[in-house]
Amino acid sequence: MTITSQIPAACRVQLDKAPAEYLVIADDGPAVDDVRAGRAPERRVRYVERRAVDPVERQLQWDELEGDCLDAEGTVRLLALTAVSHGHAAHVARREFAAFNAAVRMGDEIDRHLERGERGWLAVRIADGGSDGELYGDYEDAFAAQEHPEACTYFPISPLCPWTPRMCAEHLEFMTHLRHGCMVYGRPTCH
């Protein structure tokens, strides 16, 4: 008989990093400092809690945290995320919000040129989906005009081939993985 078998299951500490569900209270509203500085909106994580295992306790936990969100001011939301720790859950919540905003911004950049019927090569920053607003004649011109060319993705745009928001999100995610070198046979290995 081992010592751990004598300790009740409720008192044991889980030391491995197994994925679990976490509840995250996040504020998606723009901070006053972000608006003044002209920065992209950033999700602020207010609270993280590991989701209970018991179904009744899970529902009570959800109801309590959802009530806290409804009572709070601003654009506070309750999210359920899979992560390996409290810090990882907070990181995943921020990363998902940043990826969504980058895809929206990239789509807006493309749409702005397509509304005018323009064609050419566009350079888009992988990190935030923004652009310098210029269209270039070819890839080399677009690459040469960027201050940090390795931080951008380059592609031709044409009214004949519009981009959907999902296409923008998938392209930026692919380029992010490609940039930090985790792609093996076209699939990311860093998840």
Side-chain angles (χ1 to χ4, degrees):
M1 184 191 287
T2 64
I3 294 175
T4 56
S5 65
Q6 297 172 357
I7 300 172
C11 298
R12 291 186 196 144
V13 176
Q14 185 178 0
L15 297 177
D16 62 340
K17 295 288 187 179
E21 193 169 7
Y22 287 82
L23 298 176
V24 177
I25 295 178
D27 187 356
D28 293 345
V32 175
D33 294 337
D34 290 340
V35 173
R36 288 184 186 146
R39 291 188 296 243
E42 192 173 289
R43 175 176 277 168
R44 290 175 307 286
V45 174
R46 291 188 173 188
Y47 183 74
V48 179
E49 185 175 306
R50 188 179 177 124
R51 190 118 192 229
V53 176
D54 180 60
V56 173
E57 189 178 345
R58 286 170 71 94
Q59 187 60 46
L60 291 172
Q61 183 184 35
W62 181 270
D63 292 343
E64 179 184 354
L65 293 176
E66 192 173 44
D68 291 344
C69 291
L70 293 173
D71 293 341
E73 294 179 14
T75 54
V76 179
R77 304 175 43 179
L78 179 59
L79 309 168
L81 302 169
T82 301
V84 295
S85 68
H86 288 74
H88 184 235
H91 170 74
V92 168
R94 286 189 201 103
R95 186 184 69 207
E96 284 180 356
F97 186 74
F100 171 79
N101 282 328
V104 168
R105 191 171 182 188
M106 178 180 167
D108 290 345
E109 290 286 337
I110 293 170
D111 289 345
R112 189 166 46 87
H113 292 290
L114 292 180
E115 286 172 359
R116 298 184 214 147
E118 298 175 328
R119 295 173 183 234
W121 283 76
L122 185 64
V124 172
R125 291 185 298 275
I126 298 169
D128 66 358
S131 170
D132 60 3
E134 298 291 325
L135 282 181
Y136 299 94
D138 57 16
Y139 170 84
E140 288 80 17
D141 292 343
F143 187 87
Q146 303 308 307
E147 187 174 334
H148 300 286
E150 70 285 348
C152 296
T153 180
Y154 308 91
F155 51 90
I157 62 168
S158 165
L160 302 175
C161 186
W163 285 65
T164 65
R166 182 178 179 156
M167 289 169 64
C168 293
E170 289 174 353
H171 181 76
L172 288 176
E173 181 181 1
F174 178 82
M175 293 306 296
T176 298
H177 291 299
L178 189 64
R179 184 172 181 219
H180 67 70
C182 74
M183 296 298 275
V184 176
Y185 299 116
R187 296 196 180 274
T189 60
C190 67
H191 292 285

